[in-house]
């Protein structure tokens, strides 16, 4: 999977189509991503000692990684990603335009 935590992505299908947001988590085994503010679901919480009232919370549910594309804010374009070997390390690049993606700080 070429999408990583912290990447800006654009949702390309479903109810949230067109939304641009940041990836919060990646599940490589199931090919899913959790995108900030996308695919919100309500979840019931049982009462616990820490939260004696319980309640209902709203949180993001995972969506399939095929439903998002990497989004470049400078050029305002979404593109699929590729990987090429540059010297001794792998580099991600945008298939549309060929621009290399610099790795940012991990959160």
């Amino acid at each position: 999977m070429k999408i990583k935590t912290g990447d800006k992505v654009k949702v390309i299908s479903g109810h949230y189509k067109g939304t641009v947001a940041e990836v919060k988590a990646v599940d490589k085994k199931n090919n899913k991503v959790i995108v900030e503010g996308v695919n919100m679901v309500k979840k019931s919480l049982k009462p616990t000692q820490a939260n004696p009232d319980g309640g209902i919370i709203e949180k993001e549910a995972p969506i399939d990684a095929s439903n998002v594309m990497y989004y470049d804010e400078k050029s305002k374009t979404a593109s699929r990603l590729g990987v090429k070997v540059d010297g001794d390390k792998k580099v991600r690049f945008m298939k549309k335009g060929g621009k290399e993606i610099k790795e940012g700080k991990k959160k």
Side-chain angles (χ1 to χ4, degrees):
M1 183 182 301
K2 296 168 184 115
I3 301 289
K4 295 185 176 182
T5 303
D7 285 349
K8 284 274 186 194
V9 294
K10 183 174 187 177
V11 180
I12 59 171
S13 69
H15 181 71
Y16 293 90
K17 183 177 181 176
T19 305
V20 175
E22 191 173 315
V23 175
K24 290 174 75 175
V26 175
D27 182 4
K28 288 183 181 181
K29 182 179 177 188
N30 296 318
N31 199 38
K32 304 270 185 187
V33 293
I34 296 177
V35 182
E36 196 172 314
V38 173
N39 198 22
M40 300 299 286
V41 294
K42 292 187 186 288
K43 180 168 173 34
S44 298
L45 292 178
K46 285 184 176 181
T48 62
Q49 285 185 338
N51 183 10
D53 293 334
I56 299 172
I57 61 165
E58 203 166 352
K59 64 183 241 174
E60 295 96 352
I63 60 174
D64 200 83
S66 66
N67 294 336
V68 298
M69 290 177 97
Y70 181 82
Y71 185 77
D72 182 33
E73 289 185 317
K74 286 185 178 177
S75 62
K76 304 265 192 256
T77 57
S79 174
R80 291 184 299 148
L81 295 179
V83 176
K84 61 185 173 184
V85 178
D86 185 25
D88 60 341
K89 57 185 187 179
K90 291 182 181 179
V91 178
R92 297 187 302 159
F93 69 97
M94 293 177 68
K95 295 230 177 169
K96 192 185 289 184
K99 180 181 172 188
E100 289 187 2
I101 298 168
K102 303 287 186 221
E103 298 299 323
K105 280 195 283 184
K106 289 274 182 176
K107 287 187 177 182

